[in-house]
Amino acid sequence: MSSLLKIRAERDQMSAIERRIADFLLDNAHLLRDYSSQQLADALGISQSSVVKFSQKLGFKGYPDLKYSIGQAVARSGGGDEGVAAVATVDDPRALLAEHLWQLKAQAEAETQLINPGERIDAIAALLQQAGKVYVIGLGEDGIPARAFATRLSMLGIVTVHYVDAVLMQAGVSSAGPGDVLMVFSEHGRQPALCQISRVFRERVGKVVTVTRHTPNPLRAYADASLLVSAHDERRHVEPLLYQSALQHLLDLIFLLLCDTSEGRRRQLDLNLERMQDLLDT
């Protein structure tokens, strides 16, 4: 697993000093061979021990091991850049833009996969598979993936209750009971209304699954299970594209698990697709 990938994936959970180190390593990975731990500390105005602790927190014995791993990652990525040039030359700016965007999305999806262990994904899929009812909510832009996923669940024959309004969802969850699941989509996890709904839902012995960025946020405190998304870019118009792509990949994986673990669900999906096609053909 790439050390640079691990740093990106874990950045949101780091302290302020750790983020400074992480950002420096990500921005200057190709120059890192010229830096000792003391030189890196001097460049950032921090103690050498902070650099060593940062390396150990990532699972390395020390800074030399981390530096070597980053050097290996940079060497491996060198071939990828040549491949891009072969596919898209400077004479084809649209192809260059498309290739770069694809790489950024692939990176975000890899980071997201890293912070969502397989056993967690399996557990969430099992919760949805066994749920009596699945309540789904997302406000604003979070409502788009929430609605799409709720539709997919209903196509599989899972009883799904979807709201785009927090007040209506507050009333809706009054009928929730043991075995029901609430999925809350909130990129930053800061809406007080969604925290309140999640708290009430857990009090009714339902299970709460939150879908947020990989950041400390109030909503995750009410979660029985969390789906986490890692997607970063300094450009404000690009970062949401990466978040949506990584989130969609994560939700697609859960959908496939639901299909693959139940032949009955697949038959229900086929039946619903046929019925929809019949309506479209009439």
Side-chain angles (χ1 to χ4, degrees):
M1 182 183 300
S2 167
S3 50
L4 293 175
L5 176 61
K6 191 170 186 178
I7 291 171
R8 290 190 189 96
E10 295 296 331
R11 184 187 180 280
D12 287 343
Q13 297 288 78
M14 294 177 180
S15 67
I17 290 179
E18 290 170 343
R19 284 197 298 271
R20 287 174 60 194
I21 299 173
D23 291 341
F24 185 90
L25 296 180
L26 293 172
D27 293 340
N28 301 279
H30 60 294
L31 301 175
L32 199 59
R33 64 180 180 274
D34 299 325
Y35 281 83
S36 66
S37 59
Q38 185 60 61
Q39 289 171 323
L40 176 58
D42 291 342
L44 293 173
I46 59 177
S47 66
Q48 185 181 20
S49 64
S50 295
V51 176
V52 176
K53 290 177 182 178
F54 175 88
S55 304
Q56 293 172 339
K57 188 173 181 179
L58 288 173
F60 297 92
K61 292 181 180 179
Y63 174 74
D65 287 339
L66 172 60
K67 182 167 72 168
Y68 176 79
S69 179
I70 291 176
Q72 293 290 96
V74 171
R76 286 194 298 270
S77 67
D81 293 338
E82 293 175 4
V84 173
V87 174
T89 68
V90 291
D91 296 327
D92 191 354
R94 290 188 186 85
L96 276 173
L97 181 63
E99 183 66 24
H100 183 54
L101 179 60
W102 179 87
Q103 288 185 334
L104 291 175
K105 287 184 175 181
Q107 177 178 295
E109 290 166 10
E111 293 171 12
T112 297
Q113 182 178 351
L114 175 63
I115 58 178
N116 291 278
E119 56 269 20
R120 180 191 300 168
I121 300 296
D122 291 341
I124 291 174
L127 280 176
L128 297 175
Q129 188 76 267
Q130 301 162 9
K133 298 185 295 294
V134 178
Y135 295 78
V136 182
I137 187 169
L139 306 179
E141 289 191 5
D142 293 306
I144 298 173
R147 177 180 179 180
F149 192 65
T151 300
R152 284 188 167 184
L153 293 180
S154 64
M155 292 288 286
L156 290 172
I158 296 173
V159 179
T160 307
V161 182
H162 171 241
Y163 286 106
V164 296
D165 185 281
V167 175
L168 294 177
M169 179 59 86
Q170 183 74 68
V173 299
S174 63
S175 62
D180 290 346
V181 174
L182 170 67
M183 286 195 72
V184 187
F185 288 72
S186 177
E187 180 176 353
H188 300 289
R190 297 173 186 157
Q191 294 103 322
L194 296 183
C195 293
Q196 169 72 6
I197 291 170
S198 299
R199 182 185 63 80
V200 170
F201 197 88
R202 290 193 71 180
E203 289 176 352
R204 301 191 64 84
V205 204
K207 298 293 186 180
V208 177
V209 177
T210 58
V211 185
T212 70
R213 278 189 173 273
H214 183 41
T215 53
N217 61 72
L219 184 60
R220 287 176 60 186
Y222 300 97
D224 294 285
S226 297
L227 288 174
L228 304 172
V229 179
S230 177
H232 305 283
D233 196 279
E234 294 180 354
R235 294 162 295 178
R236 295 182 64 181
H237 63 290
V238 173
E239 190 169 55
L241 305 180
L242 308 185
Y243 176 84
Q244 293 158 14
S245 177
L247 171 58
Q248 189 60 56
H249 188 75
L250 193 59
L251 296 175
D252 288 346
L253 175 58
I254 293 177
F255 176 75
L256 288 178
L257 286 173
L258 292 172
C259 291
D260 291 346
T261 55
S262 173
E263 184 177 347
R265 296 293 187 200
R266 292 199 304 274
R267 286 200 300 266
Q268 185 63 54
L269 174 63
D270 291 339
L271 179 60
N272 284 330
L273 290 173
E274 290 174 5
R275 288 172 174 170
M276 290 176 64
Q277 190 59 50
D278 289 342
L279 288 174
L280 292 172
D281 291 340
T282 58

